Amino acid sequence: MKKKSTVLLVVLAMVLAGVFTGCGSGGSSDSGGEDQVKIGLVQLVEHPSLDTIRENILAQLEEEGYKDGETAVIDYQNAQNEQANLKTICQKFVSDKCDVIIAITTPAAQAAFGETKDIPIIFSAVTDPVEAQLVEDFNAPGGNITGTSDLVAADKIMDLALKITPDVKTIGALYNSSEVNSVSVVDDLKDYAKKNGLKVEEAAVTNSSEIQQAAQSLAGKCDAVFSPIDNTVASAMSVASDVFVKAKVPFYVGADSMVADGGLATYGINYESLGTETAKMAAEVLKGADTATMAVRVMDDMQAYINQKTADALKIEIPEAVKKDATNLGE
Ligand code: TRP
């Protein structure tokens, strides 16, 4: 009760102050105009892959009949890689009574889920939603949250890595240890290494300012380095790839955008389709579908991506058998 009246007071104060922003904007709030849907869209940070996902979400939402400023109010917020911002943004989505929250990345989804167990949440590109404690099971999420996953087995990337550089014995793991999406994949890497007689050297960072030093330490003791689908590394790819190119160490990564940004290769999904699929799920929920029973969707259009420019700089010959099925992202 107490909570309700506080919310009412805050809403009243906002109305009096003439504040009509965010999900509550467009004159659609509780005083009528019920046909305008309110969508909160939160993104952890700006890096090329997440921007691609967001653009495709917005395009598909429009396709589904949710156009910002017309049929919908889409409140897009970027947290600039700050946990505290994620919380504030999601709290506002809840107090604005969004009809659905779309959360891009694992940390964003965790923040949204931390704020509401009522408003449906559709996450986008969450690598391991079970490990992140967002859903009980890929096929039966069980609560107010479901979405798309960009899970790719570390094995697939490592198989590709060993085709390109078969002599690798020690592999570095560069990642942010507070990103569940990365920890889960690095665990898989360790299993793979054990089975294949490789040694893993870890360099865990907590933010992008530590990338340069961590990369340098790995470059000194590894034959190759691997980064999972890690937001912190993706935000500092130019720094990391510079270090590894100079040290002539092949750098295998988790996502196509990280290859475009100087990584040597990955085996991964198409993030444009992932964004599209995320918006389709949001539209289904807005039309009444239940998140609890809506399975998490995984992408099946996986392929190899290489960066020929990086390969040339490293003086590595990518085998023809790899090249013929790969997309080159390094002009
Ligand atoms: N999968 C990441 C997560 O769970 C988000 C992500 C999507 C990402 N595309 C990426 C991270 C590309 C790094 C690079 O949070």
Side-chain angles (χ1 to χ4, degrees), residues 71 127 144 184 268 284 311:
T71 44
T127 303
N144 62 319
S184 137
E284 285 171 36

Side-chain angles (χ1 to χ4, degrees), residues 256-327:
D256 54 359
S257 68
M258 298 166 85
V259 173
D261 284 347
L264 178 60
T266 191
Y267 185 81
I269 67 152
N270 178 319
Y271 281 92
E272 290 171 13
S273 331
L274 179 130
T276 306
E277 204 55 40
T278 305
K280 284 186 185 164
M281 292 180 85
E284 285 171 36
V285 163
L286 285 168
K287 287 174 187 131
D290 183 5
T291 50
T293 52
M294 195 187 228
V296 172
R297 292 184 196 166
V298 289
M299 304 293 115
D300 50 18
D301 52 355
M302 292 186 209
Q303 60 151 306
Y305 294 90
I306 58 168
N307 186 320
Q308 189 57 53
K309 211 172 144 199
T310 301
D312 293 345
L314 295 170
K315 299 197 167 47
I316 285 175
E317 190 72 50
I318 297 183
E320 275 312 317
V322 170
K323 263 193 198 170
K324 75 175 185 5
D325 298 321
T327 299

Side-chain angles (χ1 to χ4, degrees), residues 21-308:
T21 53
C23 288
S25 72
S28 70
S29 40
D30 302 333
S31 56
E34 289 300 318
D35 42 338
Q36 227 177 6
V37 155
K38 302 172 195 174
I39 302 172
L41 176 60
V42 57
Q43 180 175 323
L44 172 68
V45 64
E46 266 157 27
H47 65 64
S49 188
L50 304 186
D51 295 342
T52 300
I53 295 169
R54 186 191 68 245
E55 284 155 16
N56 282 277
I57 289 176
L58 290 171
Q60 185 63 29
L61 280 175
E62 195 170 324
E63 197 71 25
E64 301 283 340
Y66 303 106
K67 186 167 164 47
D68 189 28
E70 290 179 17
T71 44
V73 178
I74 303 178
D75 186 5
Y76 162 59
Q77 299 290 336
N78 192 300
Q80 309 299 340
N81 217 1
E82 289 291 341
Q83 205 58 42
N85 292 348
L86 282 177
K87 193 173 169 66
T88 320
I89 291 165
C90 295
Q91 279 172 339
K92 182 155 190 305
F93 288 166
V94 173
S95 63
D96 283 344
K97 297 196 175 63
C98 283
D99 295 298
V100 66
I101 296 173
I102 303 177
I104 308 174
T105 73
T106 302
Q110 288 174 318
F113 194 46
E115 294 309 321
T116 179
K117 298 287 180 281
D118 299 318
I119 297 175
I121 302 164
I122 301 296
F123 55 72
S124 191
V126 167
T127 303
D128 190 342
V130 174
E131 203 58 40
Q133 298 187 336
L134 298 170
V135 301
E136 285 159 20
D137 186 288
F138 271 65
N139 288 317
N144 62 319
I145 182 164
T146 186
T148 52
S149 165
D150 57 357
L151 188 67
V152 177
D155 298 29
K156 297 266 189 195
I157 302 173
M158 286 308 300
D159 283 344
L160 176 70
L162 293 179
K163 272 186 204 154
I164 300 175
T165 46
D167 294 335
V168 167
K169 291 282 172 282
T170 304
I171 178 104
L174 177 66
Y175 67 109
N176 182 341
S177 47
S178 61
E179 287 190 38
V180 189
N181 42 297
S182 300
V183 176
S184 137
V185 176
V186 170
D187 284 345
D188 294 346
L189 172 73
K190 289 180 196 159
D191 289 344
Y192 182 95
K194 211 175 263 168
K195 275 187 229 136
N196 291 276
L198 304 176
K199 186 174 170 223
V200 176
E201 286 282 354
E202 287 183 62
V205 299
T206 54
N207 66 63
S208 51
S209 66
E210 296 166 15
I211 296 277
Q212 170 127 19
Q213 221 200 332
Q216 258 151 1
S217 82
L218 287 178
K221 51 189 175 193
C222 302
D223 311 315
V225 172
F226 170 88
S227 270
I229 316 173
D230 185 286
N231 293 290
T232 309
V233 178
S235 312
M237 263 310 284
S238 58
V239 175
S241 59
D242 247 31
V243 170
F244 296 127
V245 164
K246 281 199 186 104
K248 299 268 181 295
V249 173
F251 184 27
Y252 297 102
V253 290
D256 54 359
S257 68
M258 298 166 85
V259 173
D261 284 347
L264 178 60
T266 191
Y267 185 81
I269 67 152
N270 178 319
Y271 281 92
E272 290 171 13
S273 331
L274 179 130
T276 306
E277 204 55 40
T278 305
K280 284 186 185 164
M281 292 180 85
E284 285 171 36
V285 163
L286 285 168
K287 287 174 187 131
D290 183 5
T291 50
T293 52
M294 195 187 228
V296 172
R297 292 184 196 166
V298 289
M299 304 293 115
D300 50 18
D301 52 355
M302 292 186 209
Q303 60 151 306
Y305 294 90
I306 58 168
N307 186 320
Q308 189 57 53

